[in-house]
Amino acid sequence: MSERNEKKIIIDPTRARNGEGAQESGSRPDGGQEHRDRAMEKAMEALRNSTADEKEFVGNRSFSEEDEEEDFRYERIGGERRSRGEYQAEAPVSKGKKGKTIAIIIIACILLAGFIGYSGVALYYQSCFMPGTYINNMDCGGMEVAHVASLISERELGDYTLDIYGKDPSGQVTCIGQITRKDIGMELKDDVIQVQKHFDSQNPFLWIESLGGHEVRHELDTAVVFDEEKVDKLLAALHLEESVEKVVPRDAYLSEYSAETGRYEIIPEVQGNTPDMEKVAEVVKQALYNRESSVNLEEQACYELPEVTAEDRDLVKLQETLNRWLGTSVTYDWNSREVLLDKALLADWISVEDEEAVLDEEAVRAFVADNAGKYDTYGKNRKFVTTLGTELTLPSGAFGWKTDIEKETAALIGLIKDGAVTEREPEYSSKAPWKGVNDIGNTYVEIDLTYQHLYLYQKGQLVLETDFVSGMMTRSDCISPQGVFRVTYKTTNATLRGGDYEQFVYYWMPFHGNFGMHDATWRTEFGGDIYLTDQGSHGCINLPLDKAEQIYHAVYAGHPVICYYY
């Protein structure tokens, strides 16, 4: 650094104590107070900068790393080195610090005055509501609790009066009396307590928020209280029980079944006109609690009335249920016979017990069982004309129309309760190919056990016939049964097993338990009197393989099979 630009800051403790400041090297010693102040500020800045732990240059001298430890113990002022303690002992007190102290004192006084004023306002609002407080839409700012409660009570109740309408001596409805607020001492319930609760919720120290338009709104429960005994006395003074001639009420009820209309009818109630004073008191008090302007005793059913009206829900429901059941109409196709169920029968099955609709389910079951007995063919003997022209009466095996009585009873009960109008067949547990008495039809297998000959008819045409071998007549347990049967199922490649045999067959068509038709490839002869010897079968119809195959493809599950002996 050149000498021209070099500046050294020198602090003379003696001159500092005399009020003289530091001066720059080479400057004029009498630069004035302002100049001295600036010099002092620069000197102080130099003192602060001298505490840094790094190499620095002062004047023309550079401190080496060996000087760093010593630098911690000394302040460098200009080009001189003094101990930090010496400098601090000789540092002068500046006028700037005095000014700052005065400013701090002034600010503290202002803040204290502000705090005292703010707290004073907060103290004021510890006894009244702050601005912007509304209760039931009434501005309560600056008001005390008792005053607010009084104003709200007066505004809500005022000159409240209840007009009572009832029957006059002529039976006409008119105003028969009034009850005023003052008569019964009506007031808002817990109004002061409620207002106090809202007052306690405010924070007086937040009063400044109200200056910005901040609002707090509350609502009071405007329920009322009054002297109920005074109400009872006022009502007694009206002499309602003496105003009209008494008429005894009568409940609405359900008529008996009318064959003329085919329905049950509701007989309307008869109204009464004697007041029920307990009900009157209850209705009037409730109107007062609700702060209604009027109450109509007739509309509120305060006169003795029938307990059951024509609009009674249970009564109407009962009528609807009975008439719905009566409206049921079921037309049956019962094995080709038409059977009608309508209200002529239903009227005897339907009744009312303990105000409930009752359907006689046993009568329903008897109806189903009776018709099943008439029109079912299952298990009944049948007349059958053989291919040779002989009419035989044959027993029935698992063949024919059979009503499932339990299922049909349950189904019919459901239809009646739904009020259904429908056509249907009954539920069957067994069906035949045709309806009617001759339900065998014209497609069947005819097995002549006497002549050991089989006929296959399809739609009345003979399409196949063949000899066979049936059960041996020498053993009672192997005799082939006679009767009207049906194919239970059919299958191929079956192994038949008995007590003393096991035999594979290609086509198996059972029709009565373990008795059935199948091929017999082990036989070379069929027909004739083989069945009369011990060469007969174990009861099945043994067929030639080719005929068994044709029959297998012609029959189906349920296909009629007629077996007979002459």
Side-chain angles (χ1 to χ4, degrees):
M1 182 183 296
S2 66
E3 292 184 3
R4 182 178 300 176
N5 295 328
E6 179 182 349
K7 292 183 179 179
K8 298 181 180 179
I9 307 300
I10 302 173
I11 297 178
D12 187 340
T14 304
R15 296 177 64 191
R17 283 192 299 269
N18 293 332
E20 297 179 11
Q23 70 178 33
E24 294 185 12
S25 173
S27 64
R28 290 166 50 182
D30 53 356
Q33 182 64 42
E34 180 178 354
H35 181 73
R36 287 193 297 273
D37 290 343
R38 286 199 302 269
M40 178 60 71
E41 289 175 0
K42 289 182 179 181
M44 296 300 294
E45 181 178 0
L47 282 172
R48 287 192 297 270
N49 291 337
S50 66
T51 63
D53 292 335
E54 61 183 11
K55 288 194 261 182
E56 61 180 42
F57 293 90
V58 180
N60 292 325
R61 181 178 177 182
S62 174
F63 284 90
S64 64
E65 294 180 358
E66 291 80 1
D67 296 327
E68 287 181 358
E69 182 177 354
E70 188 175 358
D71 287 340
F72 282 108
R73 299 190 300 269
Y74 292 89
E75 293 287 348
R76 299 189 71 252
I77 308 301
E80 297 179 2
R81 296 173 61 187
R82 296 186 182 183
S83 69
R84 195 181 301 269
E86 289 177 0
Y87 173 75
Q88 290 175 347
E90 297 180 6
V93 178
S94 68
K95 292 183 178 181
K97 286 188 175 180
K98 291 181 179 180
K100 289 181 181 180
T101 302
I102 294 172
I104 289 172
I105 293 173
I106 293 172
I107 292 172
C109 292
I110 293 173
L111 291 175
L112 180 60
F115 174 76
I116 293 172
Y118 191 93
S119 299
V121 175
L123 183 62
Y124 171 74
Y125 286 121
Q126 287 184 347
S127 61
C128 63
F129 284 99
M130 294 190 297
T133 302
Y134 292 83
I135 300 180
N136 286 25
N137 295 320
M138 184 181 79
D139 187 355
C140 302
M143 297 183 186
E144 295 183 353
V145 169
H147 188 201
V148 170
S150 175
L151 289 177
I152 291 178
S153 180
E154 190 62 30
R155 191 175 71 167
E156 291 289 336
L157 299 179
D159 297 326
Y160 172 75
T161 299
L162 175 67
D163 294 328
I164 302 174
Y165 288 84
K167 292 181 180 180
D168 62 14
S170 66
Q172 299 298 314
V173 176
T174 185
C175 183
I176 59 175
Q178 290 182 329
I179 296 178
T180 68
R181 173 189 175 187
K182 294 181 179 180
D183 290 338
I184 57 176
M186 178 182 287
E187 298 293 341
L188 288 182
K189 182 180 180 181
D190 298 331
D191 52 346
V192 176
I193 294 175
Q194 292 186 76
V195 174
Q196 183 67 48
K197 179 180 178 181
H198 294 310
F199 175 76
D200 293 342
S201 69
Q202 76 175 7
N203 187 345
F205 286 94
L206 299 180
W207 62 267
I208 198 169
E209 292 182 353
S210 62
L211 300 181
H214 177 70
E215 294 182 356
V216 177
R217 294 185 176 271
H218 303 291
E219 290 294 329
L220 290 189
D221 179 2
T222 55
V224 297
V225 292
F226 53 84
D227 190 334
E228 293 192 1
E229 290 185 0
K230 290 184 178 180
V231 176
D232 293 334
K233 291 179 181 179
L234 290 172
L235 292 176
L238 296 177
H239 303 292
L240 295 177
E241 295 175 295
E242 303 172 4
S243 60
V244 292
E245 183 179 349
K246 292 183 179 180
V247 175
V248 178
R250 186 184 67 192
D251 290 345
Y253 63 96
L254 204 62
S255 71
E256 297 293 329
Y257 169 72
S258 171
E260 182 179 349
T261 63
R263 293 173 51 83
Y264 285 87
E265 302 292 346
I266 292 178
I267 307 303
E269 71 280 5
V270 175
Q271 300 288 339
N273 61 2
T274 302
D276 181 342
M277 293 308 296
E278 289 186 5
K279 184 67 177 294
V280 170
E282 177 186 343
V283 168
V284 170
K285 290 174 184 177
Q286 189 60 51
L288 290 168
Y289 280 120
N290 294 340
R291 292 158 56 192
E292 298 173 5
S293 59
S294 64
V295 61
N296 188 313
L297 301 183
E298 184 178 42
E299 291 178 356
Q300 296 297 321
C302 291
Y303 295 92
E304 290 185 6
L305 297 172
E307 295 181 2
V308 181
T309 68
E311 292 76 29
D312 181 82
R313 181 181 301 177
D314 293 335
L315 184 62
V316 171
K317 182 180 178 180
L318 177 60
Q319 181 200 30
E320 291 176 348
T321 298
L322 293 169
N323 289 334
R324 182 175 67 251
W325 293 0
L326 284 169
T328 301
S329 177
V330 180
T331 303
Y332 278 100
D333 175 359
W334 216 307
N335 190 15
S336 77
R337 275 79 164 182
E338 182 179 289
V339 177
L340 177 63
L341 172 65
D342 59 12
K343 63 184 62 178
L345 281 175
L346 290 167
D348 294 331
W349 300 353
I350 296 172
S351 61
V352 178
E353 296 180 11
D354 297 327
E355 301 181 357
E356 296 287 340
V358 177
L359 175 64
D360 187 345
E361 295 185 0
E362 287 301 317
V364 178
R365 190 182 189 283
F367 168 82
V368 174
D370 180 59
N371 284 284
K374 290 179 181 178
Y375 307 122
D376 284 358
T377 59
Y378 189 92
K380 295 180 179 180
N381 292 339
R382 287 173 175 75
K383 291 184 177 181
F384 178 76
V385 179
T386 68
T387 300
L388 298 181
T390 303
E391 183 179 84
L392 301 174
T393 298
L394 300 175
S396 174
F399 183 86
W401 295 95
K402 183 178 182 180
T403 302
D404 189 324
I405 295 175
E406 302 307 323
K407 283 188 177 180
E408 182 55 31
T409 299
L412 183 53
I413 289 172
L415 291 172
I416 294 171
K417 291 187 175 181
D418 289 341
V421 177
T422 185
E423 296 179 357
R424 66 180 274 107
E425 289 186 343
E427 295 285 341
Y428 291 110
S429 59
S430 175
K431 294 183 178 181
W434 281 28
K435 291 183 178 180
V437 176
N438 182 20
D439 52 5
I440 296 173
N442 57 12
T443 297
Y444 54 87
V445 175
E446 179 182 340
I447 299 176
D448 184 341
L449 294 170
T450 300
Y451 293 108
Q452 297 286 283
H453 200 73
L454 179 148
Y455 306 92
L456 175 62
Y457 286 92
Q458 288 185 345
K459 296 182 179 180
Q461 299 297 315
L462 179 62
V463 297
L464 180 149
E465 59 181 304
T466 181
D467 288 336
F468 60 82
V469 176
S470 65
M472 64 183 80
M473 299 296 288
T474 58
R475 287 178 54 178
S476 61
D477 60 333
C478 293
I479 297 174
S480 299
Q482 70 171 347
V484 180
F485 309 105
R486 62 180 178 177
V487 174
T488 309
Y489 66 93
K490 64 179 184 176
T491 186
T492 59
N493 301 323
T495 298
L496 307 180
R497 295 180 177 87
D500 56 355
Y501 69 91
E502 180 176 318
Q503 186 64 54
F504 173 83
V505 298
Y506 291 99
Y507 303 100
W508 170 235
M509 297 159 280
F511 56 80
H512 181 61
N514 291 327
F515 295 95
M517 298 177 286
H518 61 78
D519 55 282
T521 55
W522 58 91
R523 291 186 183 274
T524 58
E525 294 182 3
F526 297 89
D529 297 331
I530 299 173
Y531 78 103
L532 296 175
T533 71
D534 58 4
Q535 295 301 308
S537 73
H538 288 88
C540 290
I541 307 302
N542 289 183
L543 298 165
L545 178 60
D546 60 332
K547 300 301 183 181
E549 181 182 7
Q550 293 178 55
I551 295 171
Y552 179 87
H553 291 298
V555 302
Y556 52 85
H559 198 282
V561 178
I562 298 93
C563 301
Y564 58 84
Y565 294 94
Y566 285 108

